[in-house]
Amino acid sequence: HLNCLSELVEATGGKIDMDRLPVGDPTLSDKEIVGNESQERMGLILKEKDVETLRRVAEREHAPMYVIGEATGDKRFTFEDPKTGEKPIDLMLEDMFGNTPKTLMNDTTVKEEFEIGVYEKHKVQEYLESLLQLEAVACKDWLTNKVDRSVSGLIAVQQTAGEIQLPLNNLGVVALDYQGVAGMATSIGHAPGVALSDSAAGSRMAIAEALTNLVWAHLDGGLKAVSLSANWMWPCKNPGEDARLYNAVEAGSNFAVDLGINIPTGKDSLSMPQKYPGGDVVYSPGTVIISTVAQVTDVRKVVRPVLDNDPFSHIIFVDLSCSPFALGGTSFAQILGKTGGAVPDVVDSAYFAKAFDVVQRLIGKEMIVSGHDVSSGGLITALLEMCFANRDGGMEIDLTQVAKDREGEIDIIRMLFAENPALILQVREPDSVKVHEAFGEAGIKAYTIGKPIPKRIIRVFCDGEKHKFDIDRLRDLWYKTSYLFDSRQSGKKQATERFSNYKFQHLEYEFPAHFKGSFAQYDIDPHRTAPTGIRAAIIREKGCQCDRETAWMMHLAGMDVKDVHTSDLIEGRETLDDINMIVFVGGFSNSDVLGSAKGWAGALLYNEKAKAAIDRFYARPDTLSLGICNGCQLMIELGLITPDDKQKPSMEHNESRKFECAFVNVAVPESKSVMLQSLAGSRLGAWVAHGEGKFNLPMPAEHYNVALKFSYEAYPGNPNGSPLGIAGICTGDGRHLAIMPHLERSIYPWNWPYYPASRIHDQITPWVEAFVNAAEWIGKNKK
């Protein structure tokens, strides 16, 4: 409260009535009330005449609102208890903001000496196998599969890539709106191992990694358009650490200035030692986490780290470091248990910036087929990762020229495992000469080092040395660490099933023969403003967050969409009497703390006006309804799909007992569904994001009208364990449909993390047809 509210009235002064603050614990002292850090709250300043408007909005959204004070104009900030007259804070603003004491940090430089790892050059395979299982290098599927990576329907790039959907992407990209293709990109970078040996180099490496991750999107303005955020985590107030932090901040600042980019924000966590009974102390290594943000011209122009098996393409290595290959502070050093020696670094900022902008121009011209950055795990890890998300093909790589130009003595270990910033590009053979010319004109060293091959191996040559790496075997080792983590969160059975099946449940599509992928096919005008007379509504509850993308999908299909909150039905502001289609949207109504939509169902069942509105809607013969995810759970809970059954289905926890998010294959069987029957026989892709998606059916499966199924019955292709892979069911007449997959988040080809290369010019995905079918049915049947 103190920080938020004082900053709001920094220009005027203000008085806060402590009796009006929401306090859940009556034992809190004034100091605790003023300084507590209760989250999910915000402070606002409004003119008095607007307070009632906000109150009405807050009541509709079920958002608690409190009027707690006023701006005063006396340049004084006061917290007052009106009951006692006590003022725990009563200060002039200039004393709070204008006369803050300066912080002085005094320290001496402590020279740390770390042992240098000793390695044997013939143990390349052994080292690689250990390296790929390090948490920093290994697969992060255990982490990414339990967070929602599709919310909003504006996601263009998230973690997973390729037909096997492995978390390999370098950056995230989100579209700014549903009509255009402009967006925002973000990435992160850190180098704690390097910073341990050389804090200044650690800062440069963190920024470099964030930028080599970001470079794969076509930025609006190139490198100059990038802003950074720096999160410093350091064990300060320990001998030498403040000095190391000073060097790290100075180096990061200078590097950013030299690159022409800014660091306008960040966060400091400067008390990072952990003390244990007995006097033991563990110091967290000084680390800076760099986050980037930049505007993207076209969310479709993003290069993925997934090798295209075109035999007539070239693989190019672009050096960004301008320093000798080094192993100090790297993942390779970690597997040796030693972190000393020379560290990777960036020694020429201008060179780095020029290389970045050359790659940006090439991406803008769509001359880069695939690409990846060299970071954790080094060059060999980056090459392997480019082959992991595919089922076919490998690479043939020759590093001889790179080694001769960069190394006095050729050392295959340093070549393969050094983490000096670099990029790997795949370009088409006809573009290869132009690509090299672009780098050459900018003075950037770029080497053609190989090409794709049909075999599932990576062959590496270097001045007479030959090494062969089995992609599929090494991918399993890389995935193994994720499996071990997953065993702790999903249990041994589910984790083992996921580990066994991940590479066999690839995405494979069969689009409807009549689908052309164009707006024109469905008479879609994304910029339509005129009403069509097809009246529809989305229904949401507090916590739901799929309303906008659902409304947009319906709008595209030609519907005039109304926003209806459950509170509108409860209060009688909305009756649904003029509505022909409703969609219960996805999300987490009431945070799902009461179970799958049970709280939402209670609000509709046990409020007279709301129940009457729903009952009248379903009694009419000219209505359609759809429930998606949380909305599907609601329809099942209300018995809207099986109104005549005495034993109702229910939605149960996923068999993994955790939230599951994935882009999965779904099959559309023959059914009576108004929305889906024209898509029968299709095998498509759709997002799922739920914790309770398992259909529990008390009757045999043939009793139900199954309208959608997961293409794979086994986990994780069937993410919740539903019998026979059931993903959606409908009423006997096909008018009312409940499905768990998020069709509304799979609108455009760029919403799909893997879309058929042969259909790259599609404007829309087949899922729009489901909503078009609904709009056409309404047009024919509405009264």
Side-chain angles (χ1 to χ4, degrees), residues 145-146 489-490 494 596 629 633 651-661 688-695 710 715 718-722 740:
N145 68 48
K146 62 179 181 180
Q489 65 182 14
S490 302
Q494 294 296 123
S596 61
C629 196
Q633 296 166 345
M651 303 303 297
E652 307 296 334
H653 283 283
N654 299 340
E655 287 194 352
S656 64
R657 308 300 294 178
K658 67 180 179 67
F659 182 87
E660 295 277 354
C661 181
V688 292
H690 57 253
E692 296 171 271
K694 180 180 178 180
F695 281 86
F710 297 114
Y715 179 76
N718 176 352
N720 49 52
S722 285
M740 288 307 297

Side-chain angles (χ1 to χ4, degrees), residues 723-743:
L724 304 177
I726 293 173
I729 58 178
C730 67
T731 53
D733 60 7
R735 292 193 295 126
H736 307 295
L737 173 66
I739 58 174
M740 288 307 297
H742 286 275
L743 311 187

Side-chain angles (χ1 to χ4, degrees), residues 18 114 136 166 190 196 202 223 255 264 331 451 518 540 546 548 554 592 603 607 644 652 715 760 762:
M18 294 185 64
F114 296 98
L166 294 175
H190 74 322
L196 195 62
L223 182 59
F255 188 40
S331 298
K451 62 181 181 180
S518 68
R540 60 187 177 92
C546 305
R548 289 185 174 91
M554 298 164 76
D592 265 3
N607 287 279
D644 299 325
E652 307 296 334
Y715 179 76
I760 58 173
D762 283 359

Side-chain angles (χ1 to χ4, degrees), residues 147-151 155 158-160 165 661-664 666 685-690 710 740-747 750-753 767:
V147 293
D148 194 339
R149 296 173 281 122
S150 61
V151 64
I155 307 301
Q158 40 68 60
Q159 289 92 337
T160 56
Q165 284 296 281
C661 181
F663 190 79
V664 298
V666 292
W687 279 105
V688 292
H690 57 253
F710 297 114
M740 288 307 297
H742 286 275
L743 311 187
E744 82 288 5
R745 296 184 183 178
S746 312
I747 307 173
W750 49 261
N751 288 133
W752 293 30
W767 291 123

Side-chain angles (χ1 to χ4, degrees), residues 455-506:
K455 288 189 176 181
R456 197 71 177 141
I457 57 174
I458 293 181
R459 294 196 194 99
V460 175
F461 303 91
C462 187
D463 197 34
E465 284 192 58
K466 298 180 181 179
H467 297 274
K468 184 170 71 172
F469 303 100
D470 184 322
I471 294 168
D472 291 338
R473 187 180 71 84
L474 292 171
R475 182 177 60 192
D476 277 348
L477 280 174
W478 174 80
Y479 201 99
K480 179 183 175 182
T481 301
S482 179
Y483 156 73
L484 294 173
F485 277 117
D486 202 27
S487 297
R488 300 290 187 96
Q489 65 182 14
S490 302
K492 191 80 171 179
K493 178 180 179 296
Q494 294 296 123
T496 300
E497 195 171 353
R498 190 179 198 98
F499 189 23
S500 300
N501 291 333
Y502 81 90
K503 54 183 172 290
F504 300 116
Q505 295 182 339
H506 63 280

